[in-house]
Each structure stands twice: as C-alpha cells, then as structure tokens.
Amino acid sequence: MGQFDFWVYSALYYGALALTLWAFVDALIRPAAGYVAAGKLTKPGWAAITGLSAAVVYWFTPMSFLGLPAVIAAIVYLVDVRPAVRGLRRGNSW
C-alpha cells in the first residue's frame, strides 16, 4: 500500500470513528424525554444504535460491509435526531 493510500485510509478510519463516537456520546447526554417529545426512537434505542456503530467502525473498517451502514446510522442521528432533540426547551417555559 502506498504512502498516499495509507494517509487517505487513516483519515477515513479516524474520521468515521470520531463521527460515530460523537453521535454515541451525544445520544447519551441528551434527556430521555426529549426523544419522545420529538417523536423519535427512544434514548436507549439511539444509544444502542450509535454505540454499536462506534464498535463496528472500531473493530472493522468504515468501508467494510458493516462499516458503511454504521457510519450512515451515525449520520442519520446527527442530521435528523440531534437537531430535533436539541431544539426542545428544558424544564419550565417561564
């Protein structure tokens, strides 16, 4: 494998790993009631999906048969679920 190929592959691997870990940590820190209020899958469901995605990317590669769906699941969380849950107000409206 050439030097350029190594750097491109490394950038893809660590970028995908960082993306899936970011989605997993964000899914853990959001309040559980926000997922239900936004009409999304529950917090444990998204935590499991994003955690499994991070594990798949870590053990396999992001460009493997299981890696690509794992990266897509993390992207779906970050693009669709995170803004919906993040946009909800916490606590009292006063």
Side-chain angles (χ1 to χ4, degrees):
M1 192 153 89
Q3 188 73 10
F4 179 73
D5 294 345
F6 170 76
W7 288 109
V8 169
Y9 180 78
S10 295
L12 286 174
Y13 175 76
Y14 290 114
L17 185 61
L19 182 91
T20 55
L21 286 174
W22 175 31
F24 177 59
V25 170
D26 191 78
L28 291 177
I29 64 171
R30 299 291 169 195
Y35 291 90
V36 176
K40 305 295 180 184
L41 187 63
T42 62
K43 180 179 180 170
W46 277 111
I49 290 169
T50 55
L52 186 61
S53 296
V56 165
V57 169
Y58 179 75
W59 290 109
F60 301 102
T61 64
M63 302 200 310
S64 67
F65 181 71
L66 296 174
L68 187 59
V71 172
I72 290 172
I75 290 172
V76 166
Y77 173 80
L78 290 172
V79 172
D80 182 42
V81 178
R82 182 176 185 258
V85 174
R86 192 172 139 195
L88 297 174
R89 293 178 165 248
R90 288 185 180 180
N92 201 344
S93 62
W94 292 93

